[in-house]
Amino acid sequence: MFMGTPHRGSDIASSLKPLIAAINFGLKYTGGSAIAGTMRADLIEMLACNSNALDAINESFVHRVKNKQIVSCYELERPENMNQLIVTKQSALLRIPEEDDIPLQANHMSMCRFSSSHDSRYRLARNALLRVARVVSETAEDLNSTSAQSLHSLTDSERRYTSYFQRDPQPALPIERVEGTCTWLLDTSQYRKWQEDANSAILWITGNAGCGKTTLVSFVAELLRTELSHGNAAGSSPVIMTFFCAKDVSTKNDGQSIICGLLISILTSRKHVIRRVKTKFAPIKQEFGQSLEFLWNVLMFALDVVSCDRYYIIIDALDECQAQSRENQSQTITEWRAFDNSSGLYHVKIEDRPSGMTRDILAFINYKVDQLVQLRRCDTSFADELKKALYDRAQNSFLWANDPRQLLVQLPGNLKEAYAKYLPSSTSRNARVIRRCVKLLVASYRILTLEEIRVFTGIDSHGHQRATEQQLTVFQNSLELMFGPLIRFTDLRVDFVHSTVKDFFLDLGEDAIHTMAKTYGTDIASAHLALAEACVNYLLCEDMDADLFNNVEPSSATTVASISPIDNVPDNDINLMDIFNIQDVIFFKDERDIDDEACLRIMNVYASFDYAATTWAHHFASCEHIAPETLTRKVKLLSRPGNVQVSNWYKYVAHQSRTIVPSFDDLDELLVAAMYDHCETLRSLLSLRDDKFDFFEARCQLGLFWAASRGHSRIVQAFLEHGTHPNFLQNGQSPLVVAVLGGYQSVCSATAVTSC
């Protein structure tokens, strides 16, 4: 419930700015500011009409409250001795479909003060809250009946096991769909036949870039969840597994990631399956990564024990998966016993449904322009003209309708020139920051947060401190000015509006004569270099010169997991420790659990630590050949045990890793280079050859083993050329064995030939 909230600012705030400035001047002049401080002129400015910061907050909020119950109260009376309302009705209302607006016969100061429970204003507010509570209660009952085993009901130990398959710690970005769009798919014969097919069947949706495939797939998944949940008992409704591939995100572009994503969908919706899977596949770390074959066996077992008669597997953007991995995945699926020659294949080509796509684009453009009108960024009289201009330039793509403010230019046919038209002309003042941001976005291994970009660009000299909400809003506005509609913001994360935008910036880097090349162009190695430097500098800053694990005190309180009712699970699957959550009591937690909690608190305190610790070495591997000497020296510092910065990042990575990593006591420059594919660094170290030959050779064998377990063929070859023989055992296994188990063919070939 909002009570006179100035969503679009207030004229009073604008008139107060000179007064606040005068008061602050007086306080500073008299010395009063040393005692009482000064008034927040920045907040007053933010609350003024036509405030960009306020508009950005409102726009973000509107996206998040879709299908939520909102009550907005607005004042009808002016305060005494004032000739205007403090917050007008236009500013107090969000103007969204779900909003319930209530006029109150009061001024801004008295609208929240009720004389008694009989006050008419009180009854209006109370009744509105009761209506909201009733709707929320009904919604909660529906959710409880269909999702009684959701993730929040898992115990800590169950969450721990589930995280074993969680390759991407970030929640998926919500996909914005305008109401009424995508419904044309339901009228296609292919979709109807797919739904009616009693056997296993495939629905294949294809279309050009930017035509809305991901939104369409998301719509199908949500529709199935809604339709199939009705009439099914909790725990027996069909399972819907979804995964959205992304070629530029390492945890979303291979077969292992897809299977892990599907597994997470099952485990978080069927609690009893976790117990069965956990019993058969104990979470024992191996030296090598989870192979496609192992994960497929886990998925097949989970599907065998799940309590449902039908399940749906929904995968988006399979073409963005790595070529070899995609081929292996496709072969595995086609050989699956669930499919045979009689299985149906129903192909929907979006281009063959121009009328449906046209309706969707029109609805999307109307929605976007109406948003601008609500935020007072576009005059009502100009809205229809803007909608027509946008549609004329859309060319059957949603890419150009992402931000109507930037689309009043002639859209050329060439994609590079089209994107270039949306970029504002930069000045020498912000060109450096733009180049830095381009590199961060192009080379990042996952979607970065606003906080991480702010820290890694070096804008904040105290990057370890979390920014305030206002600082992030200002920084977001700056990024919008730099990149226009080519980036999007969702839940404080920043991403390209489409994967082709990354290719655009890389193409600019190769086009020296393009007017935008100097500011926006980059190459992939330079982009990795920028992130490697940012991460390494972050991990070596003086604020990290302390033992983060010992300085972050473990909680002494008992963790209380929500106890869900016993589901429809066979009696022999019921575990008393699970029922009473004994394993979640602090006294029964093992050291690993406590350290995991410490990792979580480190992430909360140091906003960019997670990304810096887990990716710095990978970024350096991709830019080692162009890295300056200053960075190389810093990398050596991060590779030598004996300083606390090294133990901080390595201990954190060891706890987050799904595979076994070497003991911290074994860590040195040679082992770090071997584990993370720093080939030039390794060859330099091998050329030095320690005086203690036997000790040095033992270190080389250890490095060879861990390089083989990671599939680093260049590193393995360097060790073999150095003379390190692969016929030795580490943890009971040879380099050849771990390479075979990990599926690294090139490493297998090299070590097998040398072993003969």
Side-chain angles (χ1 to χ4, degrees):
M1 174 179 280
F2 293 106
M3 302 289 284
T5 305
H7 298 295
R8 295 175 183 79
S10 170
D11 291 330
I12 299 294
S14 301
S15 62
L16 284 177
K17 289 167 61 177
L19 178 61
I20 298 300
I23 292 175
N24 285 339
F25 177 79
L27 287 172
K28 291 180 180 179
Y29 183 78
T30 60
S33 60
I35 301 173
T38 57
M39 299 185 70
R40 293 288 301 275
D42 55 337
L43 292 181
I44 298 297
E45 183 175 356
M46 187 177 180
L47 289 172
C49 289
N50 300 318
S51 164
N52 289 332
L54 203 56
D55 283 347
I57 292 174
N58 288 334
E59 189 171 357
S60 174
F61 179 76
V62 167
H63 289 321
R64 301 182 188 188
V65 296
K66 188 176 182 181
N67 298 324
K68 301 294 189 299
Q69 300 300 309
I70 301 293
V71 179
S72 297
C73 302
Y74 58 93
E75 63 221 53
L76 295 176
E77 297 180 359
R78 299 188 295 270
E80 190 175 352
N81 300 323
M82 293 189 67
N83 59 3
Q84 61 180 338
L85 298 173
I86 291 181
V87 178
T88 64
K89 176 182 177 180
Q90 185 179 13
S91 181
L93 300 183
L94 287 166
R95 302 290 185 187
I96 57 178
E98 301 82 3
E99 186 177 29
D100 185 5
D101 56 289
I102 299 177
L104 294 179
Q105 199 67 43
N107 62 43
H108 193 71
M109 277 70 76
S110 63
M111 63 188 304
C112 296
R113 300 171 185 172
F114 310 115
S115 58
S116 69
S117 59
H118 301 293
D119 190 322
S120 60
R121 292 178 290 116
Y122 169 81
R123 289 199 300 271
L124 284 172
R126 180 202 61 184
N127 293 340
L129 288 176
L130 287 175
R131 286 195 299 273
V132 170
R134 190 178 304 113
V135 173
V136 171
S137 177
E138 292 171 355
T139 304
E141 289 177 6
D142 290 340
L143 289 175
N144 288 334
S145 65
T146 58
S147 306
Q149 303 177 49
S150 59
L151 184 57
H152 65 77
S153 67
L154 302 182
T155 65
D156 280 356
S157 61
E158 289 166 341
R159 272 190 287 268
R160 266 282 307 280
Y161 184 76
T162 302
S163 68
Y164 180 62
F165 302 102
Q166 189 82 48
R167 293 172 69 89
D168 188 357
Q170 288 188 326
L173 290 174
I175 297 173
E176 179 186 3
R177 184 182 72 87
V178 175
E179 194 69 31
T181 59
C182 300
T183 55
W184 60 265
L185 177 67
L186 309 182
D187 298 327
T188 62
S189 60
Q190 295 93 332
Y191 183 84
R192 291 197 303 270
K193 290 178 181 178
W194 174 70
Q195 274 286 59
E196 295 167 358
D197 198 325
N199 301 316
S200 300
I202 297 174
L203 179 66
W204 184 23
I205 301 175
T206 60
N208 295 326
C211 67
K213 295 187 296 296
T214 297
T215 304
L216 199 61
V217 168
S218 177
F219 166 71
V220 171
E222 197 57 41
L223 183 68
L224 289 173
R225 289 192 181 97
T226 303
E227 291 180 347
L228 299 175
S229 62
H230 297 297
N232 291 284
S236 65
S237 60
V239 173
I240 300 173
M241 296 164 278
T242 60
F243 190 81
F244 294 82
C245 300
K247 71 175 183 179
D248 299 324
V249 181
S250 60
T251 55
K252 294 182 179 181
N253 64 3
D254 60 18
Q256 287 92 327
S257 298
I258 293 175
I259 297 178
C260 283
L262 301 180
L263 266 171
I264 292 295
S265 297
I266 300 175
L267 298 179
T268 55
S269 63
R270 296 292 192 274
K271 185 173 181 177
H272 72 279
V273 176
I274 299 179
R275 292 191 283 267
R276 297 286 296 276
V277 173
K278 187 177 179 182
T279 301
K280 185 172 179 64
F281 301 95
I284 300 174
K285 284 190 175 185
Q286 304 290 343
E287 290 84 355
F288 46 87
Q290 299 162 326
S291 67
L292 185 66
E293 181 182 4
F294 168 76
L295 292 171
W296 183 258
N297 290 335
V298 178
L299 177 62
M300 292 298 99
F301 179 80
L303 290 175
D304 283 339
V305 301
V306 72
S307 302
C308 72
D309 56 0
R310 193 167 193 177
Y311 40 80
Y312 293 83
I313 298 176
I314 299 174
I315 303 175
D316 175 61
L318 189 58
D319 58 321
E320 296 191 19
C321 197
Q322 295 173 4
Q324 184 60 51
S325 183
R326 181 172 67 247
E327 183 178 333
N328 294 339
Q329 178 84 358
S330 301
Q331 182 178 354
T332 303
I333 292 177
T334 53
E335 293 174 355
W336 185 15
R337 58 179 171 78
F339 291 100
D340 53 39
N341 293 332
S342 63
S343 298
L345 173 61
Y346 304 101
H347 187 186
V348 177
K349 297 180 180 180
I350 296 180
E351 290 82 359
D352 292 345
R353 303 288 298 187
S355 60
M357 191 171 181
T358 298
R359 289 198 306 269
D360 284 359
I361 292 176
L362 278 172
F364 190 73
I365 290 174
N366 288 338
Y367 172 75
K368 285 289 185 179
V369 174
D370 289 343
Q371 272 190 327
L372 295 184
V373 173
Q374 290 175 13
L375 294 171
R376 297 172 66 182
R377 292 186 180 181
C378 174
D379 189 82
T380 307
S381 60
F382 182 61
D384 290 339
E385 183 180 345
L386 177 57
K387 290 176 182 178
K388 184 179 183 303
L390 290 174
Y391 180 70
D392 290 342
R393 291 164 171 78
Q395 294 187 352
N396 286 334
S397 171
F398 288 91
L399 293 178
W400 326 118
N402 187 61
D403 190 341
R405 293 167 295 176
Q406 305 291 334
L407 296 177
L408 301 180
V409 295
Q410 180 63 38
L411 182 68
N414 181 276
L415 184 61
K416 181 188 290 187
E417 293 307 316
Y419 281 147
K421 288 284 187 180
Y422 302 146
L423 295 176
S425 56
S426 63
T427 64
S428 57
R429 181 175 59 85
N430 60 10
R432 185 192 66 81
V433 177
I434 291 176
R435 285 194 294 269
R436 187 81 169 172
C437 289
V438 168
K439 291 176 180 179
L440 299 184
L441 292 170
V442 163
S444 60
Y445 286 114
R446 62 163 170 77
I447 298 174
L448 294 174
T449 65
L450 265 175
E451 184 82 35
E452 288 166 341
I453 295 178
R454 182 173 177 271
V455 170
F456 292 152
T457 51
I459 290 176
D460 183 8
S461 58
H462 301 286
H464 64 285
Q465 299 176 351
R466 284 191 174 275
T468 64
E469 184 175 344
Q470 183 183 0
Q471 288 173 322
L472 288 179
T473 300
V474 171
F475 184 56
Q476 177 175 328
N477 290 338
S478 299
L479 289 179
E480 286 181 331
L481 291 174
M482 295 177 194
F483 294 97
L486 299 189
I487 58 175
R488 60 182 174 184
F489 302 89
T490 311
D491 293 338
L492 299 181
R493 287 185 280 170
V494 187
D495 190 20
F496 289 131
V497 70
H498 195 265
S499 59
T500 53
V501 178
K502 173 181 175 179
D503 299 329
F504 161 65
F505 288 122
L506 291 174
D507 287 343
L508 275 184
E510 299 177 356
D511 188 354
I513 62 174
H514 198 285
T515 56
M516 293 287 186
K518 186 175 180 181
T519 302
Y520 289 95
T522 188
D523 61 90
I524 194 64
S526 298
H528 279 293
L529 177 61
L531 263 168
E533 289 177 326
C535 293
V536 169
N537 289 336
Y538 183 89
L539 295 174
L540 288 175
C541 71
E542 63 179 56
D543 297 291
M544 298 295 161
D545 193 13
D547 189 338
L548 300 185
F549 282 83
N550 287 336
N551 284 356
V552 181
E553 293 293 333
S555 172
S556 59
T558 301
T559 301
V560 180
S562 58
I563 303 177
S564 60
I566 299 175
D567 308 310
N568 297 324
V569 180
D571 292 340
N572 58 351
D573 284 334
I574 297 176
N575 188 316
L576 292 180
M577 288 192 71
D578 288 337
I579 296 175
F580 295 105
N581 301 318
I582 293 175
Q583 70 273 40
D584 292 329
V585 179
I586 193 69
F587 305 110
F588 294 95
K589 288 186 177 181
D590 59 27
E591 183 179 356
R592 168 81 190 195
D593 289 320
I594 296 173
D595 284 337
D596 280 347
E597 293 176 2
C599 287
L600 182 60
R601 284 190 287 273
I602 290 171
M603 288 174 61
N604 291 334
V605 174
Y606 300 98
S608 304
F609 186 85
D610 175 75
Y611 190 88
T614 56
T615 66
W616 75 266
H618 300 289
H619 285 300
F620 182 73
S622 298
C623 69
E624 186 183 17
H625 60 290
I626 63 169
E629 182 61 29
T630 53
L631 178 59
T632 303
R633 286 197 298 268
K634 291 178 180 179
V635 167
K636 290 180 179 178
L637 287 177
L638 274 183
S639 306
R640 295 172 185 163
N643 66 70
V644 71
Q645 289 99 332
V646 178
S647 65
N648 281 338
W649 77 262
Y650 192 75
K651 190 173 183 180
Y652 183 89
V653 168
H655 285 300
Q656 302 292 72
S657 175
R658 293 183 304 277
T659 58
I660 293 177
V661 297
S663 164
F664 180 71
D665 295 333
D666 290 332
L667 202 68
D668 60 12
E669 293 176 57
L670 188 143
L671 188 56
V672 170
M675 283 184 62
Y676 291 102
D677 203 17
H678 299 169
C679 194
E680 293 187 20
T681 300
L682 179 74
R683 290 187 180 278
S684 175
L685 293 170
L686 291 177
S687 67
L688 298 177
R689 188 182 286 268
D690 196 286
D691 292 336
K692 300 177 181 178
F693 180 78
D694 291 340
F695 174 78
F696 186 73
E697 287 308 302
R699 304 302 301 167
C700 288
Q701 287 184 342
L702 188 64
L704 173 58
F705 176 83
W706 288 107
S709 74
R710 299 305 191 262
H712 298 324
S713 56
R714 297 188 308 161
I715 299 294
V716 169
Q717 192 62 43
F719 276 121
L720 297 178
E721 292 174 1
H722 167 73
T724 304
H725 206 279
N727 289 340
F728 65 90
L729 297 180
Q730 177 73 25
N731 300 337
Q733 295 175 316
S734 68
L736 177 58
V737 169
V738 293
V740 170
L741 292 173
Y744 307 124
Q745 295 181 2
S746 58
V747 175
C748 293
S749 301
T751 52
V753 170
T754 308
S755 300
C756 293

